[in-house]
Amino acid sequence: MKKLVLIALAGLLVSCSSPTPEVNLYSARKEALIKPLLDAFTQETGIKVNIISASADALLERIKSEGINSPADVLLTTDAGRLHRAKQASLFAPIDSAILHNNIPANYRDGDNTWFGLSLRARPIMVTAKAPESTLTSYEDLVAPELAGQICIRSSGNIYNQSLVASMLAHASASDVEAWAKGLVANMAREPQGGDRDQIRAAAAGQCSVVVANTYYLANMLADSATDDDRTAGEAISVIWPNQQDRGTHVNVSGAGLIKSAPNSDNGIKLIEYLSSDKAQHLYANVNFEYPVKPGVDIHPILAKWGKFKADALPLEKLGENNAEAVKLMDRAGWK
């Protein structure tokens, strides 16, 4: 059914010729989360944004199958690992943009300028009051014997965990990271299941006391729009910023790239540049509860309560380069 809907929407994109300048955005982000940014872009530039929304993997496969006839101008997706996959599939064209270089730090964009991080996501350790917090200052501490049966984390199939392990591979030997992964599996409270919010809910319910999750999930559970149950669960959780004395907390990005066959390439570049602007970065921070990639833009008050932290400065293209090894390592460690 989803495939039919995508085909129908693509047909509309192709057939609806209009004198209005436009850009076709393939987005793996929920439309409700990015609509305010796109509306602001249209209001400012007069360029209409046509959106096709689907999962990241479905969009990647779709653009591949459409080939040079694809109506896609820009792919917007989450995780540097997925952006790297799109680059490896030769879907992106490089962009030479002083605006993007000025707005986005070098470690949050591809070294060949094929994709650009647009919002920053932190994946720290979260704990309840029952956790032995004093022992937790790093990801490496998650294998401590006193945490046996205390850790909730989603599966190894989740790309956020794959990117976390990929980042560790950039800082340590494969044998050390594999030993860590085995220790983490040994300390899990249950077989991995559900998403990040489910780990937080499980911890609040007493099934575990330590969680690894992205901060925007917790922030969403604490927002005014959250359900009472989720807000109660979120209020039971504290954030620990790991590895502040060495490499820093693991971070990732959502980002975008210009499709090589883009029929509206100039408008696509304008859209990506706009999403890196102060105005869009502020909207990102306040609508999605993510951190701006552009330095100097204020963060949401919920995030501010967790304090400042040192982020891992690793060039995020390494997450994609190390992904395959990370997946194999996690499998050998028994991380389901």
Side-chain angles (χ1 to χ4, degrees):
M1 183 64 184
K2 182 182 290 185
K3 185 176 181 180
L4 292 175
V5 171
L6 286 171
I7 292 173
L9 287 171
L12 286 173
L13 290 176
V14 171
S15 63
C16 294
S17 60
S18 166
T20 303
E22 60 184 11
V23 59
N24 300 321
L25 174 66
Y26 280 28
S27 172
R29 308 219 62 178
K30 290 182 180 178
E31 187 169 335
L33 294 179
I34 60 168
K35 192 68 165 50
L37 288 83
L38 303 180
D39 288 346
F41 169 73
T42 298
Q43 186 174 19
E44 190 166 307
T45 65
I47 300 172
K48 178 186 176 185
V49 183
N50 305 308
I51 309 174
I52 287 182
S53 299
S55 72
D57 291 338
L59 291 175
L60 284 173
E61 291 305 312
R62 179 172 179 76
I63 297 171
K64 288 180 190 175
S65 65
E66 290 173 338
I68 61 172
N69 296 316
S70 175
D73 294 306
V74 173
L75 173 66
L76 178 67
T77 188
T78 57
D79 198 282
R82 289 196 178 102
L83 291 164
H84 181 78
R85 288 177 190 173
K87 176 186 176 182
Q88 292 301 101
S90 299
L91 299 185
F92 288 150
I95 300 175
D96 182 12
S97 167
I99 293 174
L100 292 174
H101 276 229
N102 288 335
N103 289 347
I104 304 172
N107 57 317
Y108 299 148
R109 47 184 160 87
D110 173 52
D112 294 324
N113 298 317
T114 62
W115 57 259
F116 299 84
L118 296 170
S119 62
L120 193 62
R121 328 171 120 209
R123 192 163 183 78
I125 297 169
M126 302 178 186
V127 298
T128 69
K130 295 180 180 179
E133 186 174 340
S134 61
T135 65
L136 277 167
T137 62
S138 70
Y139 296 108
E140 286 76 6
D141 291 337
L142 291 171
V143 302
E146 53 267 42
L147 294 181
Q150 293 297 311
I151 297 174
C152 286
I153 190 167
R154 61 201 293 181
S155 75
S156 61
N158 172 250
I159 197 162
Y160 304 149
N161 284 336
Q162 293 172 9
S163 287
L164 170 62
V165 174
S167 76
M168 298 180 77
L169 282 169
H171 293 290
S173 69
S175 59
D176 285 349
V177 178
E178 184 168 339
W180 172 85
K182 288 178 179 176
L184 179 71
V185 171
N187 279 350
M188 289 182 184
R190 59 180 188 173
E191 196 168 287
Q193 55 193 271
D196 279 11
R197 287 187 183 88
D198 296 309
Q199 315 312 315
I200 294 169
R201 292 172 185 139
Q207 296 180 44
C208 50
S209 63
V210 179
V211 168
V212 179
N214 289 353
T215 48
Y216 58 87
Y217 287 112
L218 178 58
N220 269 288
M221 295 174 74
L222 293 168
D224 292 340
S225 57
T227 65
D228 290 343
D229 287 347
D230 271 358
R231 197 173 301 111
T232 298
E235 289 171 350
I237 301 296
S238 299
V239 172
I240 294 176
W241 298 113
N243 299 85
Q244 294 303 283
Q245 303 305 313
D246 43 74
R247 66 183 183 274
T249 296
H250 169 61
V251 294
N252 206 325
V253 290
S254 66
L258 181 72
I259 300 302
K260 187 181 290 184
S261 57
N264 305 291
S265 58
D266 288 346
N267 293 343
I269 294 171
K270 289 177 183 175
L271 175 60
I272 298 172
E273 289 178 337
Y274 177 80
L275 294 175
S276 74
S277 68
D278 278 18
K279 184 176 181 179
Q281 290 287 297
H282 180 76
L283 282 171
Y284 257 129
N286 283 276
V287 174
N288 294 350
F289 300 106
E290 294 175 296
Y291 293 89
V293 291
K294 187 173 188 291
V297 178
D298 291 338
I299 61 175
H300 192 281
I302 291 178
L303 276 61
K305 288 182 180 178
W306 299 328
K308 296 180 179 179
F309 67 98
K310 175 184 175 184
D312 189 345
L314 178 74
L316 294 188
E317 56 194 314
K318 289 290 183 184
L319 304 184
E321 294 172 6
N322 290 345
N323 179 270
E325 185 175 2
V327 171
K328 292 176 185 175
L329 180 156
M330 296 164 85
D331 186 52
R332 291 196 299 270
W335 189 338
K336 296 183 179 178

